[in-house]
Amino acid sequence: EPVLCTKSDAYKRWEKLSEEEKENTIMPMMCDREKDEINYRYFSFDVQGSLPSTYDLRKQTYAPVLKDQQSTGGCWAFSTTTVLETYAKKKLNVNEVYSTRHIEYSSTRAFLNNTYNEDGYNRVLGSGGNAYMSGNYLINGKGPILESEMPFKNNENAIDINEIKNKNVALDVNNIALIEGSGV
């Protein structure tokens, strides 16, 4: 059973808002970073050493499969899966393709039949996301799942919430390093 994050006080207050108030408010960070550091599941903003001035992943043997987000707003989910696939291939010698669709839907709140994802953000499908959203998805043990379990579709239609539930997490992510100022 994955360790879930400790909800931040700001998130707990936000959860108590009415649905109308939530729609007019930016959802705060779900996890309390200080408490989660105790559990060794956190975001890191430290970079060891220096970064090269240029880097071309296409020249590496562990380059991931190229994907096309088509008309969806899932560039952030595609970025996340590309990073994970590259890491898994380079460091773990695992060649897997992860589901961008699962990240997108798991980070969304509203589903068909007026059902709500308690772990989702107050965002509309296709409205974009960021490293914090995908990071929460990963370190909270929601994913990634394999592309074969929830294949990409070139639409952002509402789905039944059960389509994102009870999936097999393919890679255990316990720590994420974000490089400040890089957009990653």
Side-chain angles (χ1 to χ4, degrees):
E1 183 72 24
V3 177
L4 299 178
C5 77
T6 304
K7 291 182 180 177
S8 69
D9 291 336
Y11 181 79
K12 288 176 188 174
R13 286 190 300 273
W14 181 85
E15 279 185 307
K16 293 177 183 175
L17 297 175
S18 70
E19 288 305 315
E20 183 179 343
E21 290 171 314
K22 286 179 182 177
E23 287 179 22
N24 296 312
T25 308
I26 295 173
M27 183 176 157
M29 285 295 294
M30 187 181 300
C31 298
D32 184 324
R33 182 173 179 231
E34 290 179 19
K35 290 180 183 172
D36 286 344
E37 283 182 349
I38 294 168
N39 294 325
Y40 304 104
R41 300 178 83 81
Y42 62 100
F43 290 100
S44 169
F45 292 93
D46 300 324
V47 177
Q48 302 294 322
S50 62
L51 297 173
S53 60
T54 63
Y55 182 79
D56 189 344
L57 187 60
R58 297 171 298 180
K59 295 179 181 177
Q60 307 301 322
T61 58
Y62 48 83
V65 174
L66 293 178
K67 301 175 191 172
D68 181 358
Q69 77 181 49
Q70 297 180 32
S71 64
T72 67
C75 60
W76 64 286
F78 279 82
S79 297
T80 300
T81 58
T82 299
V83 168
L84 290 172
E85 290 160 10
T86 303
Y87 174 84
K89 203 171 193 180
K90 179 179 179 183
K91 297 288 188 178
L92 307 174
N93 200 28
V94 172
N95 192 14
E96 297 177 328
V97 178
Y98 302 118
S99 174
T100 57
R101 187 170 171 86
H102 191 256
I103 295 174
E104 175 82 27
Y105 281 89
S106 293
S107 302
T108 301
R109 190 152 179 84
F111 285 78
L112 286 178
N113 304 319
N114 296 318
T115 56
Y116 290 94
N117 176 10
E118 291 180 14
D119 298 323
Y121 289 93
N122 191 28
R123 58 180 284 280
V124 177
L125 282 170
S127 63
N130 57 48
Y132 295 105
M133 289 179 184
S134 58
N136 276 330
Y137 162 83
L138 295 168
I139 65 172
N140 286 322
K142 303 295 181 197
I145 69 164
L146 295 176
E147 174 73 14
S148 59
E149 281 201 64
M150 193 168 182
F152 174 78
K153 294 182 181 176
N154 187 22
N155 68 57
E156 291 161 335
N157 299 338
I159 62 172
D160 187 286
I161 195 166
N162 291 318
E163 290 186 49
I164 67 166
K165 303 275 184 181
N166 302 316
K167 301 292 185 182
N168 295 315
V169 175
L171 181 67
D172 184 30
V173 178
N174 293 300
N175 188 359
I176 298 170
L178 299 175
I179 303 168
E180 254 183 294
S182 70
V184 178

